[in-house]
Amino acid sequence: MPVEPSDIRVGLIEPLRPHVIVLFGATGDLARRKLIPGLFHLQQAGLLPEFRILAVALDDLDDDGFRTHARGALDEFARHGVPDAGWDHFSARLAYLDQSAGPIELRRRIAALSTAVGDDPALLHYLSVPPTAAVAAIELLRDAAVADDARIVMEKPFGRDLESARALNRVLHDTFVEEQVFRIDHFLGKEAALNILAFRFANGLFEPIWNRQHIAHVQIDVPEDLAIGHRIGFYEQTGAYRDMVVTHLFQVLGFMAMEPPTSLSPHAIGEEKNKVFRSLAPIAPDAVVRGQYTGYLDEPGVPPHSDTETFIALRCEIDNWRWADVPFYLRTGKRMAESARIISIAFHEPPKSMFPAGSGVGAHGPDHLTFDLADVSKLSLSFYGKRPGPGMTLDKQSLQFSLHETGRANDVLEAYERLIYDAMVGDRTLFSSADGIESLWERSEPLLQNPPPVRPYLPGSWGPNAIHQLIAPSAWRLPFERAWRNA
């Protein structure tokens, strides 16, 4: 039986071929904050083979100019410092090409770098560009004849509706087959997202209660305290729903709600995620709250009458036997009270209580299982327990676990680092497929065609007041009543 990539690497580090990495949008914000530091850290961790990086952008730079740019990115964003020897090794493998030089020059530079690497290197194209620039980059790769046997990483959002996603897939599939395409979602690259799979499917205690008989509702909550900043032009074309829900929150929902896969192979996991997306009920506009923080219209570059949402909360349902009638509540927005990435699962309360009035039972809501998807992942299970002393008074208690407690927190790869490595290996487990993305856009059509009006909310709040009616009679888990235990 053939062995798939993720089956090979269980418990092992998959050896990599030498690589030539072509990084489009190499002078952009994402490349500066995440991709250049991520590639440097992979080198320092011994996870990169012999490599060359061809940076492609529209800036008037040469190789040395880009090296100066890359050093500035590392000085600002590298997580573990920049040793001189590491920088010397890394910088010697950087080259730059102005995208306007055209396909012939692109092909020539890739060929030269491939020769320098030797040993029949693999070719990875990373498109760190907005959707409006993706087609031009794909056509450049096609015209340069550097797509065969290469892999391509696509940044989100993948389209802005069903029609544009299908059109982008057609352009993409004219040059690449689906197995070459890696649509990236950095949320799924986080250690905590993978821990959902381990928690569910490696423990006989929890999988039997992972269904409508025991779970009352689920919250996926990703507030951000940051403003839009210099991304106004991009954000005006997308808004919170396109930017965050389709490409991030729904992907997390897929991991949370999928049926047990037949194996840990990319195909098996991807198929179960896509079944969830196909079972997702169309997003009803009356189950959505759109918001815009006060002051957004005063941001530079924002049209005076913009109705772009900087906040969205919605209720959705999965129309299958496991999840019938279980609401999933999703919330995300900018300029909110704090930044967090939480999955909170509320369990049904007992049908009848023998505890007397005033005992505390029911005073703090249902039991919850909470995943913190932050870089330092945490897990909490809350429950009622007896307060020490006479009588029968109960308090909410919790069992908590933090990645720090394993003593291996320093082994964690940052999300982009993991996903770059997986793309180089060829492991598509944590990446989205064309079918999955199109399913999500199809179910988004009712909302996109008839969006509710945006409601104002104050910066530093948790969103418009209408979010409480959306989730009633339940309540939002954030803000937490009790803090996480210090690791």
Side-chain angles (χ1 to χ4, degrees):
M1 179 181 294
V3 182
E4 297 202 39
S6 64
D7 293 320
I8 294 172
R9 69 173 192 162
V10 172
L12 300 172
I13 297 297
E14 169 73 0
L16 289 175
R17 292 166 56 191
H19 263 71
V20 173
I21 301 167
V22 182
L23 178 57
F24 283 82
T27 58
D29 183 63
L30 176 62
R32 189 168 193 273
R33 289 185 298 108
K34 295 293 184 181
L35 304 183
I36 294 171
L39 286 163
F40 180 76
H41 185 243
L42 286 174
Q43 171 198 273
Q44 295 300 98
L47 295 176
L48 273 188
E50 183 55 36
F51 68 96
R52 296 293 187 277
I53 297 172
L54 179 60
V56 180
L58 297 174
D59 299 77
D60 184 16
L61 294 173
D62 58 13
D63 291 356
D64 287 338
F66 181 74
R67 290 180 183 123
T68 300
H69 173 86
R71 180 59 197 240
L74 294 179
D75 287 341
E76 187 171 359
F77 295 108
R79 295 191 294 140
H80 302 292
V82 188
D84 290 342
W87 166 247
D88 291 344
H89 187 273
F90 188 76
S91 64
R93 286 153 178 77
L94 299 178
Y96 181 81
L97 176 67
D98 188 324
Q99 186 169 333
S100 63
I104 295 175
E105 183 62 13
L106 175 61
R107 180 176 176 82
R108 188 191 71 79
R109 292 297 297 277
I110 290 176
L113 293 174
S114 298
T115 300
V117 172
D119 295 327
D120 186 29
L123 184 57
L124 178 70
H125 304 298
Y126 195 120
L127 270 57
S128 178
V129 296
T132 52
V135 171
I138 294 167
E139 291 174 344
L140 178 61
L141 294 172
R142 178 200 64 199
D143 295 343
V146 291
D148 291 347
D149 300 322
R151 296 180 179 128
I152 182 169
V153 179
M154 302 288 293
E155 270 293 339
K156 60 93 175 173
F158 198 84
R160 62 186 319 275
D161 52 24
L162 180 59
E163 181 181 357
S164 61
R166 285 175 171 168
L168 185 53
N169 275 329
R170 285 194 295 270
V171 171
L172 192 56
H173 291 157
D174 283 343
T175 304
F176 298 90
V177 299
E178 179 65 16
E179 287 69 26
Q180 294 175 273
V181 182
F182 293 74
R183 297 171 186 82
I184 198 166
D185 171 20
H186 70 271
F187 270 47
L188 294 188
K190 295 181 177 298
E191 195 76 22
L194 289 172
N195 215 17
I196 296 173
L197 293 182
F199 188 86
R200 283 191 61 186
F201 301 129
N203 297 293
L205 176 62
F206 294 104
E207 180 56 27
I209 63 171
W210 212 267
N211 54 53
R212 62 189 298 270
Q213 280 78 30
H214 300 279
I215 293 177
H217 72 265
V218 177
Q219 298 178 33
I220 302 176
D221 210 350
V222 187
E224 297 180 296
D225 58 10
L226 299 175
I228 311 300
H230 59 276
R231 301 172 68 231
I232 289 292
F234 164 80
Y235 208 81
E236 274 293 304
Q237 299 176 39
T238 57
Y241 185 80
R242 291 180 171 94
D243 181 43
M244 291 292 293
V245 176
V246 175
T247 52
H248 291 325
L249 274 66
F250 278 155
Q251 301 299 325
V252 173
L253 183 149
F255 263 55
M256 158 64 203
M258 71 182 186
E259 296 296 317
T262 56
S263 72
L264 288 180
S265 72
H267 175 77
I269 291 176
E271 179 56 28
E272 294 305 332
K273 276 179 54 186
N274 286 346
K275 286 180 183 177
V276 174
F277 300 153
R278 290 194 293 268
S279 300
L280 190 66
I283 307 303
D286 61 1
V288 176
V289 176
R290 296 169 71 233
Q292 187 183 89
Y293 66 78
T294 304
Y296 176 75
L297 296 179
D298 299 325
E299 300 274 13
V302 175
H305 302 293
S306 171
D307 68 345
T308 298
E309 78 276 1
T310 63
F311 169 96
I312 193 157
L314 59 95
R315 183 183 68 249
C316 60
E317 295 186 358
I318 299 171
D319 190 15
N320 63 21
W321 278 27
R322 181 182 291 265
W323 297 114
D325 300 322
V326 176
F328 287 73
Y329 297 101
L330 281 56
R331 176 173 64 168
T332 186
K334 305 291 186 182
R335 294 294 304 273
M336 296 183 68
E338 64 182 71
S339 292
R341 296 162 182 167
I342 298 294
I343 301 175
S344 188
I345 300 164
F347 292 98
H348 287 299
E349 297 189 65
K352 184 174 178 61
S353 175
M354 75 289 292
F355 294 93
S359 66
V361 172
H364 301 285
D367 298 338
H368 283 86
L369 175 64
T370 302
F371 293 89
D372 186 340
L373 301 185
D375 291 333
V376 179
S377 59
K378 300 175 184 177
L379 180 69
S380 173
L381 178 62
S382 70
F383 54 91
Y384 283 100
K386 182 185 178 300
R387 183 185 300 174
M392 184 57 77
T393 302
L394 281 74
D395 292 323
K396 264 289 169 142
Q397 311 293 340
S398 68
L399 297 172
Q400 296 188 9
F401 163 79
S402 170
L403 184 64
H404 280 307
E405 297 174 17
T406 67
R408 305 193 66 174
N410 290 334
D411 293 347
V412 174
L413 292 177
E414 195 272 337
Y416 276 102
E417 296 166 3
R418 174 188 293 277
L419 293 171
I420 291 170
Y421 180 82
D422 282 357
M424 294 171 75
V425 172
D427 185 345
R428 301 176 75 242
T429 303
L430 301 178
F431 296 85
S432 304
S433 69
D435 289 345
I437 289 292
E438 290 183 14
S439 291
L440 292 174
W441 283 123
E442 184 175 6
R443 281 135 189 85
S444 301
E445 286 290 282
L447 172 62
L448 298 179
Q449 293 175 4
N450 187 29
V454 293
R455 302 168 183 261
Y457 67 97
L458 292 175
S461 72
W462 290 98
N465 287 333
I467 63 171
H468 303 297
Q469 286 74 50
L470 177 69
I471 201 172
S474 301
W476 293 98
R477 265 300 257 165
L478 284 174
F480 285 136
E481 293 182 5
R482 65 173 60 82
W484 287 94
R485 185 184 71 227
N486 290 329

